[in-house]
Every structure is written in structure tokens, then in C-alpha cells.
Amino acid sequence: MNRYLIKNNIKLMCRNWGNILLFIIMPVILIFVLSSAFDTLMKKYEKTEMTAGYRIEGDGVTEDIIEAMTEVAEDNDITLSEFPSGDPEQLIRDNELTGFIVFKDDTYTIYEDKDNSVRGKVLEYFVNAFYENAASASMGVETDSVKLSVEHPDFRSAIDSKDYYGIVEIIYFGWCAIVAGAGIFINEKKYKIRKRYQVANLSPFKEYLGRFIPIVIVTSVGTVIAAMLTVVLLGVHWGNPLLSFLVLIISTAAATALGVMIYNITDNMIATIIIVFAVVWFLGFWGGSFETYLFSSHPMFLKNISPIYHINRALTELSCMDHSDYMVSAVGYCGILVVVCSAIAMIAGQLRKRGRA
């Protein structure tokens, strides 16, 4: 009976291809838009060369020292340009400078770009290193006497926008799994299938599985197909594909349990979709579906209560590092949701059935 029920519900869901295609086409479109937009935005941070302005006030710094400093700066990808007049902070804004150096007698003052403090620190280090070397040589400066210490340790490159959104948007859409199951619930009411369940004396557990399993199967297939399309069309890197897709399926199961629970409580498909969309949006907002979790400003406790955050971190870190400490919490969180939501769904369904009796 239960095998027949699962098979029949899968057929009901497959009749409405529009809902299923949402899990395949819409994520790919959204990934393409978001990854393209953020890729263009982040390209402006790839430039490594720095431009700084300077001014000489007093007689403490000679032209020979400035000439030597300029040559050494060029060797370290720093361009020094002289600005005889003007407010340093205004010059930084107007000319997009990394910083501004004012040489006065035996001292110097460095003004840094407030929006790019890291490069400002590099400029500060360079000037300080130059002065220390110049002082140790009793001002007998050689143009190759100052070198910035640059090391290139082995590291994993940060995940790019294409891979990040290529993963998290697939997860996000998978959490709207209840939409794919709309065909089941609508036909149950339309053809009064629930009464047949009562006549067949179907247990609450088997009745629940008859809904839960088909939705998980159909949604998981659609989600995995969408993930594979991101690989083929956009070149998204999923790390270990088998492990990543397994987590996707577990995530879809948790989303299905949540959706069925809400439906059994409301007994209304429209209300269920509205509530699920609202819950998933907030979980996705805290979980980094729209803003990368690395740069989000949300408090950490809000991120940790979102299962989507744990899943996003697990799969994106698996993509760029081939491992993630969030794998256990992601799978564990989803497992707890499946158990708790399934229990509540069966209890709610049983209470409603008794209410009709």
C-alpha cells in the first residue's frame, strides 16, 4: 500500500512540471545574475599597485632622498606623486590615492584612505622601513636598500562569487520543496483521497511517508539536476560532488519535513507556501543566501540558529578547501529537523483527523 501511495504521489507531482522546473531553471538564472554582478564588483579590488601623494615642507628632506624613495617605491608597486598644495585628505578623495605623505623637517605625517586602511598600513610600513634604512646608512641612501618583505605561503584561494552563489542559491531554492508537493495536497482535497486513507486504515506514519518520500525524491532530483547544470553551464566547483549532493538531499529532506509540518498544521496550501517562503527567506537572510556569510554583519547567534547557514558553510568550504568543520553540524541540524518536524506533522495530522470524526 505504501509503495503504491509513494508511486502515485510521484506521478501526481510530475504532472505539474512548472513547479518542478522552478527548482531547475530559476536557481541557474539567479546564480548567473548574482555571480556576474558580484564578480564585476569585486574586480576593482584585484589591483595591487598603489598610488600615494607627497609634499615637502621645510629643508629636512632633500630631492635626492625623494628621488631614491620614488625609485624604491616603484620597485614595490607604489607610485609616488607630488602635490605642492592642497588638503591631504581632500587630495586622497579627489585623486583616489592610497595615502598622502607630508615631509616636514625631520618628521613626516602619513594620511591614510579611511576606506582602504590595509593599503594605508602598507604605505606606512614602506615609509618607516625606508627611513630606518636611510638613518642606518647615515643618509647615504641606495635605491636598492629598501625592500618590502613579501612571502607567499601555501593557501587555499577564497571562493569566488560564481562558486559561492552557484552553491548557496541551489540550497536556498531546495528549501522551498513544499512547492513541488503542491500537486499531492491539492489532489487529496479535490478527489477526497484522505477519506480513502481512513477506509484503508492507513497509519499516520505511513500516510506521512506517502507524502514525505515523494516530495524528497522529486525535489532532490530537480535540485541535483540544477546543481549539475551549474557545473556544465557556469563551471561551478562543488568540491566532492558525491558528498556535496548527499548533503543537498539531506537538506531537501529537512526542508520537506518543515513544509509538510506547516501544511498539516494549517491544512491550507496557500497559507503553507506563504509561511514557508517567509521562514526560508529569514533563514536564508541570516544564513548568507544573499550576502556572503564571511562579510555579513548579522550577529553570530542569528547565523547559528539558521540551518541554511550551516549547510552553506559546509558546502562552500567543501568547494574551496575540500573539507569543512560544518559538515557535522549541517547534517546533524537537518537530521534533527526531519525528526522533530515529522513528529509534529504526524501529531497535527492525527488531531485534525480526529476532529473530523
Side-chain angles (χ1 to χ4, degrees), residues 6 57 69 137 182 220 255 272 291 322 339 348 356:
I6 292 171
E57 297 179 358
M69 180 180 288
S220 296
T272 298
E291 178 184 39
D322 294 330
V339 173
R356 294 195 188 98

Side-chain angles (χ1 to χ4, degrees), residues 122-167:
V122 173
L123 177 65
E124 183 179 345
Y125 171 78
F126 167 77
V127 177
N128 182 65
F130 183 90
Y131 260 79
E132 286 184 355
N133 280 271
S136 63
S138 299
M139 301 307 290
V141 181
E142 298 179 4
T143 58
D144 60 348
S145 61
V146 180
K147 293 291 183 182
L148 293 180
S149 176
V150 179
E151 297 180 359
H152 300 281
D154 294 333
F155 70 100
R156 286 278 183 178
S157 58
I159 191 169
D160 60 22
S161 59
K162 179 180 62 179
D163 285 346
Y164 182 84
Y165 288 106
I167 293 172

Side-chain angles (χ1 to χ4, degrees), residues 262-329:
I262 294 174
Y263 178 80
N264 280 5
I265 293 173
T266 63
D267 197 32
N268 185 294
M269 195 63 219
I270 296 177
T272 298
I273 291 176
I274 293 174
I275 295 172
V276 168
F277 277 17
V279 171
V280 172
W281 189 91
F282 278 107
L283 293 178
F285 180 72
W286 294 331
S289 295
F290 316 110
E291 178 184 39
T292 57
Y293 61 75
L294 184 62
F295 298 108
S296 66
S297 57
H298 315 309
M300 198 64 199
F301 80 92
L302 286 180
K303 299 178 187 178
N304 282 327
I305 65 176
S306 169
I308 293 180
Y309 172 75
H310 293 264
I311 301 166
N312 283 351
R313 285 210 63 161
L315 293 189
T316 52
E317 290 180 2
L318 195 64
S319 172
C320 63
M321 297 190 301
D322 294 330
H323 66 85
S324 174
D325 294 336
Y326 279 80
M327 288 294 294
V328 174
S329 62

Side-chain angles (χ1 to χ4, degrees), residues 54-61 82-86 88 100-107 109 111:
Y54 73 90
R55 178 187 307 143
I56 302 175
E57 297 179 358
D59 301 326
V61 178
E82 184 176 9
F83 293 85
S85 61
F100 196 93
I101 314 165
V102 177
F103 299 100
K104 187 172 183 180
D105 296 328
D106 295 331
T107 63
T109 303
Y111 297 84

Side-chain angles (χ1 to χ4, degrees), residues 7-18:
K7 182 180 178 180
N8 188 59
N9 281 340
I10 290 177
K11 289 181 179 179
L12 287 176
M13 293 174 64
C14 290
R15 288 179 183 176
N16 193 345
W17 281 101

Side-chain angles (χ1 to χ4, degrees), residues 48 50 76-78 98 110 112 116-129 148 150:
T48 57
M50 297 165 48
N76 292 282
D77 297 323
I78 301 174
T98 300
I110 299 178
E112 299 176 3
N116 203 339
S117 59
V118 174
R119 291 192 175 186
K121 296 301 180 183
V122 173
L123 177 65
E124 183 179 345
Y125 171 78
F126 167 77
V127 177
N128 182 65
L148 293 180
V150 179

